Amino acid sequence: EIIKIPNAMNENMNADMNMAAAAVEIRELHAFFVTWFTGRDENSETVFRANFDARFADGFQLVEPSGRLLGLGDLRGSVLGGHGASPDFRIASRNVIPRPVSADHILATYEEWQIGATNSTPPDNGRAATVLFRLNDDAPNGLLWCHVHETWLPSNVMAAGPYDF
């Protein structure tokens, strides 16, 4: 016997799965950044395409904590050129809160804590981030990064940490 689930229940289950996928995607991309910047990943186009390129939408933009706007090409070049540049680099993503904003977009906020980021000042820092994802079946975790806006956490918050990761 086939059991049919009402559409409303299917939609709620899909929304819940997409929310969970957003949290996983944030953690997986940042895990790649750690392995890439520490040099633990192979420095190859194949590895980079699979772990970076496959995740970003055309037209992606990043607003850095300084307010500088980077397009996807600039970000790609910066990350690609940073292979092995921060051997002690670590990231922790905390307080991830995804929210549906439309049938095919998810907005998520999170804190990103970094240790040993040689290309950031200070190298041990914390930032608040907001990401807009677009659902895409071909992307890792079914989500493409469309836009990210980061801002530094207050200096007293950064100084206090936590850097226990």
Side-chain angles (χ1 to χ4, degrees):
E1 178 179 336
I2 297 174
I3 299 172
K4 293 188 177 188
I5 300 173
N7 283 341
M9 187 178 281
N10 280 340
E11 289 174 15
N12 287 340
M13 287 174 30
N14 286 340
D16 289 345
M17 289 187 328
N18 291 336
M19 296 301 161
V24 169
E25 177 59 21
I26 289 166
R27 287 186 179 90
E28 284 185 5
L29 178 63
H30 289 89
F32 166 70
F33 287 153
V34 170
T35 60
W36 187 260
F37 290 131
T38 60
R40 292 194 306 252
D41 261 337
E42 176 188 342
N43 188 1
S44 76
E45 275 289 323
T46 303
V47 168
F48 195 80
R49 273 190 245 118
N51 292 288
F52 183 89
D53 290 340
R55 294 187 136 87
F56 290 90
D58 291 339
F60 170 84
Q61 292 186 319
L62 165 68
V63 180
E64 293 183 320
S66 66
R68 185 174 82 151
L69 180 65
L70 292 179
L72 182 56
D74 294 327
L75 178 62
R76 185 184 196 281
S78 177
V79 174
L80 187 59
H83 183 268
S86 295
D88 297 322
F89 184 58
R90 295 192 314 267
I91 296 178
S93 300
R94 296 187 172 121
N95 302 318
V96 177
I97 304 171
R99 300 168 181 87
V101 292
S102 73
D104 59 351
H105 286 87
I106 294 172
L107 185 76
T109 56
Y110 60 95
E111 292 176 5
E112 179 181 324
W113 292 85
Q114 299 184 356
I115 297 174
T118 58
N119 291 328
S120 290
T121 304
D124 297 347
N125 65 74
R127 50 191 84 193
T130 302
V131 57
L132 179 65
F133 290 113
R134 185 177 72 235
L135 276 60
N136 181 299
D137 290 336
D138 296 329
N141 299 304
L143 300 168
L144 287 174
W145 294 69
C146 296
H147 186 91
V148 174
H149 190 124
E150 298 178 329
T151 188
W152 294 121
L153 291 171
S155 57
N156 63 324
V157 173
M158 279 198 277
Y163 295 101
D164 57 349
F165 53 95

